[in-house]
Amino acid sequence: MDKDVLELKRMANRLRQDILTMLVPAKSGHPGGSLSAAEIVTVLYFREMRLRPQEPHWSERDRFVLSKGHAAPVLYAALAEKGYFPREELLGLRQTGRMLQGHPDMKKTPGVDMSTGSLGQGLSAANGMALAGKLDKKDYRVYVLLGDGEMAEGQVWEAAMASAHFKLDNLTAILDLNGLQIDGRTDEVMSSAPLPEKWRAFGWHVIEVDGHDVGALQRALAEARTTAGRPTILIAKTVKGKGVSFMENAVGWHGAAPNAEQGQQGLKELREEAVHLG
Amino acid sequence: MNVKEIKAPRVAYGETLVALGEETHSIVVLDADLAHATTTNLFGEKFPERFFNMGIAEQNLMGVASGLSLAGFVPFASTFAIFGSGRAFEQVRNTICYPKLNVKIGVTHAGVTVGEDGGSHQAIEDISLMRSIPNMTVVVPADAVETAKAVRAAAAYDGPVYLRIARPPAPVFIGEDSEFVIGKANVLREGKDICLCAAGLMVFKAMEAAEVLQASGIEATVVNFHTIKPIDKQLLLELAQKIDKMITVEEHSVIGGLGSAVAEVLSECRLATVKRIGVEDKFGQSGTPDQLLEAYGLTSANIVATAKAMLT
């Protein structure tokens, strides 16, 4: 396997282990949609984005908006790995007085660029950041991670229209297409298909990609960077709960934390994968 | 009371944005297809690169404003009061106030003086909605001159501000040299018998009422509560020590607006009785602004009658 690919796969595995490690003591939270986005967040934070973890508000940094804010654990795991805050903070997730809120809070957590959690709102904020970059003639890029259940929010489409209208080619959206939401399969709860056609019709450059293939994700992000005159969306096919056998494609793991035993079982599987990755 | 001219506060809004735009590059203005009505088109014509028409999409409007503020811009997001406070309530709460971003929500067409468009477009609950959100400041200027002062004060303040601006042409009576400090109410007239606390276009009505009351030997204090949140608690308590009868007057529901804010403060000190004049828990309707003010009791005559009833 390519050395870089292997390295990224190892990092995604680490983020997954961190997700379980922080959710067990938290006793609540969202493992499924955090695990599905591990490769996406890994590629963004460890390859694609220009960042200065020691200077979280650096004006030239690339921005990231986690519109599917319930996947906060995967973001926190990446931020801790990057050194935005001590790893011990991960064990304080969702606890009173601690910095890691149930959903991202930019006022409490270093490295969080926008407070999110109420679905449908992240792309609008990302639009504003991208417009600001154009106005200031700065070359930073703005990334936003959306969920597929979130596609039912009308504001997403208001925002999608505006990104294309203002030709925000410094903006890249990534859609974590894991196929499940709280109440069931997205195609049963509220069908949003066909998503590639919808985004194309809204004026976006669409790239369909395997959301667990770190090489393909990097190539897609590079294509987004060189696509001028319109925003790009990566429609990333993923498996909800990816990496933990009993969580994969299981609706019940959208918003339930593993207990200690389940956490141990999941960590055992992930450690075995890590050994396999060398 | 010296009336200098008749001018719509919303026009002062657009003009002041242009003036601010000339002074600083950081001012950006967004609208949602109502630029000619809110008068932000004045800014758009002068600074097209810093003006963004978001179309009829108020939720996205608020989110984009939040993103712009994060890069150091000072966005004024404009639409009608009903949409800015109602349609986009949760966006205002979660993407502007929760992270305490430096976004100004400049809304026009508030209250029943929207007029002929009718109840669907007349926000009478917006102050209540906006006042309940932590980190939010709520400002309701009384006339065109005060609107200009309020826009400047909002731009200078670091944090979310809801600026509620009236639509119709209205008497300009606030002095150019009057002080405007967010959170500090202005005493316009002093009298020992009763205190009239008013906001927005109702400040002028309260001043008219005070003149009529004077002719009947009743001395009224009139206070311009241009800031509903934070309410000037200190002034209210000082006034209540001296005057035990108060009337609040606002072009808004009696639920949750200025009347509620005043009653919340005074109910904890038990120094004064408060009567609230406002829209009595009902929707607006079509009509001319003056007819509607009459229909909802938002007149100097009703203030006079209420004051006399309290004093007998």
Side-chain angles (χ1 to χ4, degrees):
Chain A
M1 203 183 293
D2 179 80
K3 189 165 165 284
D4 187 62
V5 166
L6 201 58
E7 210 172 289
L8 289 170
K9 285 171 93 72
R10 282 195 205 109
M11 182 56 74
N13 176 279
R14 284 220 329 242
L15 298 190
R16 288 199 168 94
Q17 292 194 43
D18 284 344
I19 290 166
L20 293 190
T21 303
M22 71 180 101
L23 282 172
V24 169
K27 298 190 174 70
S28 70
H30 300 83
S34 299
L35 292 166
S36 66
E39 281 81 8
I40 295 166
V41 170
T42 295
V43 169
L44 284 172
Y45 273 85
F46 297 90
R47 286 295 179 274
E48 180 71 12
M49 288 171 69
R50 184 171 71 192
L51 300 165
R52 278 187 190 165
Q54 301 315 314
E55 199 185 333
H57 296 286
W58 179 41
S59 61
E60 310 304 311
R61 75 190 186 282
D62 289 340
R63 273 76 167 165
F64 177 70
V65 179
L66 183 64
S67 192
K68 48 171 286 186
H70 54 278
V74 68
L75 173 61
Y76 297 157
L79 293 176
E81 284 287 344
K82 294 292 285 187
Y84 282 93
F85 50 79
R87 287 184 53 80
E88 301 82 71
E89 285 297 336
L90 295 178
L91 298 174
L93 173 68
R94 289 177 165 250
Q95 288 166 32
T96 311
R98 303 297 292 269
M99 70 157 68
L100 299 184
Q101 298 293 297
H103 294 82
D105 184 333
M106 61 178 285
K107 293 291 184 190
K108 292 193 167 71
T109 311
V112 171
D113 288 321
M114 181 64 201
S115 299
T116 52
S118 176
L119 292 173
Q121 303 188 20
L123 184 55
S124 296
N127 277 342
M129 294 175 181
L131 269 178
K134 295 265 182 198
L135 265 179
D136 280 336
K137 298 187 168 50
K138 288 184 183 288
D139 68 348
Y140 63 74
R141 297 190 59 79
V142 181
Y143 298 91
V144 55
L145 181 59
L146 301 153
D148 51 356
E150 189 178 8
M151 294 299 101
E153 288 282 6
Q155 187 185 351
V156 169
W157 302 101
E158 291 186 6
M161 209 183 292
S163 328
H165 179 80
F166 291 107
K167 301 182 169 58
L168 299 177
D169 51 14
N170 53 347
L171 169 71
T172 301
I174 300 135
L175 173 55
D176 180 1
L177 189 75
N178 63 35
L180 300 177
Q181 58 191 105
I182 303 181
D183 277 353
R185 289 165 38 152
T186 48
D187 57 0
E188 287 172 356
V189 176
M190 181 49 64
S191 178
S192 54
L195 283 166
E197 287 84 343
K198 283 195 171 93
W199 284 92
R200 264 184 219 112
F202 273 74
W204 286 61
H205 177 53
V206 175
I207 305 172
E208 292 181 71
V209 63
D210 176 348
H212 300 304
D213 182 336
V214 291
L217 284 166
Q218 285 188 91
R219 288 189 293 278
L221 289 168
E223 184 178 325
R225 238 183 290 128
T226 54
T227 300
R230 57 190 167 145
T232 296
I233 183 165
L234 276 57
I235 299 186
K237 182 79 189 71
T238 60
V239 173
K240 197 154 181 170
K242 175 77 173 176
V244 179
S245 61
F246 55 92
M247 289 184 176
E248 287 193 0
N249 283 318
V251 166
W253 289 104
H254 170 88
N259 62 28
E261 193 185 330
Q262 291 161 331
Q264 279 310 316
Q265 174 61 30
L267 281 172
K268 185 168 162 280
E269 292 179 20
L270 289 167
R271 286 184 191 125
E272 281 165 9
E273 188 203 11
V275 169
H276 177 72
L277 290 170
Chain B
M1 200 170 28
N2 180 20
V3 175
K4 283 163 290 190
E5 59 173 324
I6 303 292
K7 181 173 178 175
R10 63 179 162 136
V11 174
Y13 176 58
E15 290 171 352
T16 310
L17 289 178
V18 171
L20 279 171
E22 278 165 355
E23 292 163 27
T24 163
H25 178 75
S26 64
I27 302 289
V28 294
V29 177
L30 303 88
D31 208 303
D33 196 39
L34 290 169
H36 290 265
T38 63
T39 76
T40 61
N41 66 314
L42 300 174
F43 186 94
E45 285 155 18
K46 192 90 190 244
F47 308 105
E49 74 290 349
R50 284 191 272 152
F51 176 76
F52 305 104
N53 199 329
M54 306 310 298
I56 309 167
E58 295 79 11
Q59 303 174 81
N60 186 50
L61 166 80
M62 296 305 173
V64 173
S66 76
L68 281 160
S69 79
L70 284 167
F73 288 103
V74 182
F76 279 77
S78 293
T79 176
F80 287 177
I82 188 76
F83 309 127
S85 68
R87 173 67 69 100
F89 174 80
E90 202 231 322
Q91 284 73 18
V92 172
R93 180 196 186 275
N94 271 324
T95 65
I96 295 174
C97 292
Y98 183 52
K100 203 179 182 211
L101 298 185
N102 195 23
V103 175
K104 318 306 165 186
I105 299 161
V107 297
T108 64
H109 295 62
V112 297
T113 53
V114 167
E116 292 80 351
D117 278 354
S120 60
H121 284 56
Q122 295 164 356
I124 46 145
E125 56 286 273
D126 56 322
I127 295 173
S128 177
L129 285 166
M130 293 295 107
R131 198 169 71 89
S132 67
I133 309 177
N135 290 338
M136 183 61 108
T137 290
V138 179
V139 172
V140 186
D143 70 1
V145 163
E146 193 166 72
T147 298
K149 292 172 183 287
V151 171
R152 286 184 171 278
Y157 171 83
D158 183 18
V161 178
Y162 182 76
L163 268 171
R164 186 196 209 232
I165 298 159
R167 174 196 179 221
V172 175
F173 65 105
I174 301 289
E176 291 280 357
D177 56 351
S178 77
E179 197 179 39
F180 186 95
V181 179
I182 289 174
K184 292 283 287 178
N186 293 344
V187 177
L188 300 184
R189 181 184 173 118
E190 291 188 80
K192 64 181 178 2
D193 299 320
I194 196 157
C195 179
L196 310 177
C197 303
L201 299 183
M202 294 303 106
V203 178
F204 185 78
K205 303 282 183 196
M207 288 295 281
E208 283 184 327
E211 285 179 5
V212 175
L213 287 167
Q214 187 175 37
S216 313
I218 297 168
E219 298 297 331
T221 289
V222 177
V223 186
N224 173 12
F225 277 89
H226 54 68
T227 307
I228 315 272
K229 184 188 179 186
I231 195 77
D232 192 344
K233 189 173 176 179
Q234 192 190 336
L235 177 70
L236 265 177
L237 292 175
E238 279 169 24
L239 288 168
Q241 302 278 354
K242 296 183 283 188
I243 311 167
D244 68 355
K245 292 178 182 63
M246 299 218 174
I247 299 175
T248 61
V249 200
E250 61 192 315
E251 194 191 346
H252 183 274
S253 170
V254 290
I255 299 170
L258 173 66
S260 294
V262 168
E264 284 158 17
V265 172
L266 296 181
S267 69
E268 290 178 5
C269 70
R270 300 179 59 182
L271 290 170
T273 304
V274 181
K275 286 271 185 195
R276 294 164 300 147
I277 294 178
V279 178
E280 294 284 350
D281 195 20
K282 49 183 133 176
F283 287 112
Q285 58 182 303
S286 288
T288 67
D290 284 340
Q291 287 166 348
L292 294 173
L293 290 174
E294 183 78 37
Y296 291 91
L298 304 174
T299 58
S300 53
N302 189 32
I303 300 169
V304 168
T306 305
K308 285 184 173 170
M310 279 181 93
L311 289 163
T312 51

